[in-house]
Amino acid sequence: MLESKRARFESSVSPHLAAAYNLARWLTHNDHDAEDVVQEAMLRAFTFFDGFRGPDARSWVLKIVRNTCFTWLHVNRPRDVIATDIDQLSDLLPFACSGSTDDPETVALRKTEAYQVDEAIASISATFREVIVLREIEGLSYKEIANVIDAPIGTVMSRLARARSEIRRALARANDPGNRRGTR
């Protein structure tokens, strides 16, 4: 029976490990911490796998990872859990891949822009960062995100709007010549 549970667990959960790690990495800001969180989340998921009902293992797994992350952050880095005072992310990404025929200058510019967007996302609170990662990077629907974070869809929409606004502000600051090091 344990072998059967393990096989079902692996077939249901394994396809979502990359998304689980990605969410944990964005929330913890650290590869090793993300690995630890995902490992703990997978232990929790396996323990409660008998209670899993439904076709959507992805949302179920991400919800467990999210809760495990926030528990871990609360214990290890409580300042990261504090929410800031609370349109599309794709609008922020003018460097979307266009092909491999780009000249080195264009490639370097895209890398710089990608770094700025990553830094902007990393600069917002975990409350907002999680919805951006789930929506824009993992591609979850509003309903799936609401299920993962255990909040109404309106809250998801509000947090996404505020997260996008915070990212825009961070990108504007990053591109403000007065904010650059060595220019003052």
Side-chain angles (χ1 to χ4, degrees), residues 21 24-25 28 30-40:
Y21 173 78
R25 173 64 179 93
T28 64
N30 182 287
D31 292 331
H32 298 293
D33 294 341
E35 290 170 358
D36 291 345
V37 166
V38 170
Q39 184 175 15
E40 176 66 26

Side-chain angles (χ1 to χ4, degrees), residues 134-149:
L134 291 171
R135 176 71 182 154
E136 304 299 345
I137 297 174
E138 294 304 327
L140 270 65
S141 69
Y142 289 4
K143 184 177 179 181
E144 290 171 318
I145 296 169
N147 182 39
V148 169
I149 70 168

Side-chain angles (χ1 to χ4, degrees), residues 4 9 17 38 41 61 63 77-78 81 92 101 103 108 114 134 137 142 144 148 158 165 177:
S4 172
F9 178 79
L17 285 176
V38 170
V61 166
K63 184 174 192 167
R77 285 191 248 138
V81 180
L92 303 172
T101 60
D103 61 88
L134 291 171
I137 297 174
Y142 289 4
E144 290 171 318
V148 169
S158 173
S165 177

Side-chain angles (χ1 to χ4, degrees), residues 85-102:
D85 200 1
I86 322 203
D87 274 300
Q88 297 294 332
L89 183 62
S90 58
D91 294 343
L92 303 172
L93 303 172
F95 54 86
C97 296
S98 64
S100 60
T101 60
D102 293 331

Side-chain angles (χ1 to χ4, degrees), residues 77-167:
R77 285 191 248 138
R79 73 188 184 303
D80 287 354
V81 180
I82 299 170
T84 60
D85 200 1
I86 322 203
D87 274 300
Q88 297 294 332
L89 183 62
S90 58
D91 294 343
L92 303 172
L93 303 172
F95 54 86
C97 296
S98 64
S100 60
T101 60
D102 293 331
D103 61 88
E105 184 179 355
T106 302
V107 171
L109 181 59
R110 284 193 179 132
K111 284 183 180 181
T112 300
E113 290 171 337
Y115 175 79
Q116 288 176 342
V117 171
D118 284 352
E119 288 294 307
I121 292 171
S123 75
I124 64 178
S125 74
T127 301
F128 297 138
R129 192 169 52 247
E130 72 177 340
V131 293
I132 282 291
V133 170
L134 291 171
R135 176 71 182 154
E136 304 299 345
I137 297 174
E138 294 304 327
L140 270 65
S141 69
Y142 289 4
K143 184 177 179 181
E144 290 171 318
I145 296 169
N147 182 39
V148 169
I149 70 168
D150 198 26
I153 289 177
T155 300
V156 170
M157 294 168 65
S158 173
R159 287 183 186 175
L160 277 169
R162 293 181 73 175
R164 290 173 178 142
S165 177
E166 290 292 321
I167 291 168

